[in-house]
Amino acid sequence: MAKNRRVFVCSDCGTHHPRWEGRCNGCGSWASVAEAPVEVAVSKTGSTATATDLPALEDFGLSGCLPVPIGFDEVDSVLGGGLVPGSVTLLSGEPGIGKSTLSLQIAMHAAAPGASVVLVTGEEAPAQVAARGVRTGEIPRSLSVLDNTSVSEVIATLTEAKPQLVVIDSIQTLRCDDVDSAAGSVTQLRSAAAQLVNMAKALNVTVLIIGHVTKDGTLAGPRVLEHLVDTVLSFEGDRMNSLRYLRVAKHRYGSTTDVGVFEMTGQGLVSIRDPSDLFLVDRHPGAPGSVVVPTIEGRRPLLVELQSLVNQSHGMGAHISTQGVPTARVKQAMALLSRYLDVEFVSTEVFVSAAGGAKVNEPGGDLALALSLLSSIRNVSLPANLVACAEVGLAGELRSVPHMERRLQEAHRMGFHLVIVPESAPEPPMGLRLVRARSLFGAVEEIQALSA
Ligand SMILES: Nc1ncnc2c1ncn2[C@@H]1O[C@H](COP(=O)(O)OP(=O)(O)OP(=O)(O)O)[C@@H](O)[C@H]1O
Ligand SMILES: [Mg+2]
């Protein structure tokens, strides 16, 4: 038995309303709310099935969840081995960051002989996609292109073709003919994604969907797709810089802790095996304001150089400019130096940067940040082979941070001999000397003793 009830839905933001409204109270749009029929199933008879008629969970085993390698090592490793057949992955990122390049390279790797891969391109003409493909490598014969934006037609073609992998570039360009709103609206996105998920499960086709995010990081149409898909990948970076990070925001088949690091080049995205090397390559060891910190990206330790430049200015307050480091952390480091070491930042210009386009926004960078500011304002160099790693609490105390052992190993591997850490830090690898300190003040005293 089914009972119809009336539901009104905004075609712009998807908000449900119990009655018709002239203006949507979800997004404020006028005349966007319309009735949508909803079938509510109400069983009057009840089911006669018992628990023993249902399939046992253990009979399903693991076979449906094993990843198949794409052949693009950096992406496979982020995904925990590859893409699971029949799974749906959303690759999101800001406009121009390199989503089409990454997904094309994934498609080209996956289109090994015997496999069939389809690229649905609603955004670019096939010739444009081919030009990018030629720039990045040899386009395999088994990679086909489908230049169509109608979801029903795309699904009909894919049902015939039954490829192993489908790449949709992008979900914002698809339109469902039965949905009465513009392509890219929330209702369109949700409907298109739901139909693609159903197709993936029914045909056991792996689907990679590209979605644009807006500047504030939300998938255009407030993250409506994330709960529908199995995996959400986020492709990030600074467009002024060639480094790109592939992060897993959600993964139904594996961990979300690994990060892929790439460089955008004329030949497409190239995996960076040793990011620490890249960040430190042109460093001037011993320059005032320069301190190296072993950060953690996902599970991967990365050595990054923090640089500060503190100059006198004619203004009254402190002017702060940062790159790759949150301004709030810089302000906190300045406040700690002011309180516990009597450092005066009035009438100064403070510039802080994580060199090479890296990002340090975790507490493990606190001590290095404070030492870097202090080194610059006092124009005193720190020991060239020194690495600093600790969170600094508001009482000026040094606190341990996660994955300390991995960070110390990376510092050792990159040839550093001296690490300043909180008292609770684990024993270091052979050849690495730890200087333990209880507080920011204590850390500065220890460094002064080393330099004396
Ligand atoms: N010849 C080249 N050499 C180096 N980098 C290039 C070259 N051509 C393009 N790029 C880089 O690739 C980026 C565009 O990549 P791509 O088209 O994959 O991004 P996208 O995220 O799909 O963009 P959109 O939002 O427009 O779909 C450019 O911003 C540029 O950084
Ligand atoms: Mg694109």
Side-chain angles (χ1 to χ4, degrees), residues 99-100 123-124 132 169 212:
K99 302 175 297 296
S100 299
E123 237 157 56
E124 293 170 299
R132 183 187 285 118
D169 190 4
H212 300 286

Side-chain angles (χ1 to χ4, degrees), residues 407-427:
R407 296 177 197 244
L408 296 179
Q409 266 158 12
E410 183 69 357
H412 184 238
R413 186 183 76 81
M414 292 303 294
F416 289 87
H417 307 304
L418 197 58
V419 188
I420 187 139
V421 287
E423 279 198 325
S424 58
E427 283 306 306

Side-chain angles (χ1 to χ4, degrees), residues 146-388:
L146 176 56
D147 183 8
N148 199 326
T149 54
S150 157
V151 175
S152 53
E153 288 172 26
V154 165
I155 290 180
T157 308
L158 296 174
T159 307
E160 283 283 307
K162 286 204 183 61
Q164 274 82 40
L165 173 66
V166 179
V167 176
I168 310 279
D169 190 4
S170 68
I171 188 79
Q172 271 97 350
T173 57
L174 289 188
R175 78 195 141 71
C176 306
D177 299 327
D178 51 343
V179 174
D180 189 19
S181 63
S185 70
V186 171
T187 347
Q188 282 281 4
L189 290 188
R190 195 181 281 155
S191 172
Q195 292 186 47
L196 290 168
V197 170
N198 288 343
M199 178 204 71
K201 308 295 167 194
L203 303 178
N204 203 32
V205 170
T206 312
V207 178
L208 177 65
I209 299 174
I210 293 170
H212 300 286
V213 288
T214 49
K215 262 273 168 231
D216 64 359
T218 51
L219 193 70
R223 310 183 79 155
V224 285
L225 305 183
E226 293 195 352
H227 74 282
L228 283 174
V229 299
D230 300 303
T231 303
V232 179
L233 298 175
S234 141
F235 201 43
E236 300 166 12
D238 183 348
R239 266 181 293 169
M240 304 304 286
N241 183 287
S242 58
L243 274 185
R244 300 287 181 272
Y245 298 94
L246 183 65
R247 295 193 164 84
V248 196
K250 158 184 166 175
H251 201 5
R252 283 185 180 150
Y253 302 107
S255 96
T256 56
T257 50
D258 216 349
V259 175
V261 186
F262 302 86
E263 187 174 6
M264 178 63 93
T265 72
Q267 288 73 48
L269 292 156
V270 177
S271 306
I272 300 201
R273 291 264 152 255
D274 197 344
S276 296
D277 199 28
L278 182 92
F279 291 135
L280 298 181
V281 69
D282 290 323
R283 177 175 176 245
H284 288 198
S290 162
V291 182
V292 172
V293 53
T295 61
I296 286 280
E297 271 289 353
R299 281 183 308 186
R300 185 186 290 204
L302 280 184
L303 289 199
V304 175
E305 180 191 6
L306 283 180
Q307 296 182 313
S308 294
L309 177 64
V310 185
N311 277 340
Q312 290 304 308
S313 78
H314 301 296
M316 281 303 288
H319 168 83
I320 303 169
S321 171
T322 63
Q323 250 184 332
V325 185
T327 307
R329 290 213 109 84
V330 175
K331 284 185 177 166
Q332 182 174 312
M334 288 163 63
L336 288 163
L337 287 168
S338 167
R339 169 64 73 97
Y340 299 107
L341 286 137
D342 290 329
V343 180
E344 197 59 79
F345 285 98
V346 176
S347 300
T348 52
E349 286 181 321
V350 178
F351 299 90
V352 179
S353 162
K359 282 201 167 53
V360 180
N361 52 12
E362 50 118 7
D366 285 356
L367 178 59
L369 182 55
L371 293 177
S372 155
L373 287 163
L374 185 66
S375 159
S376 178
I377 199 165
R378 292 194 174 161
N379 201 25
V380 174
S381 300
L382 294 168
N385 63 0
L386 177 98
V387 166

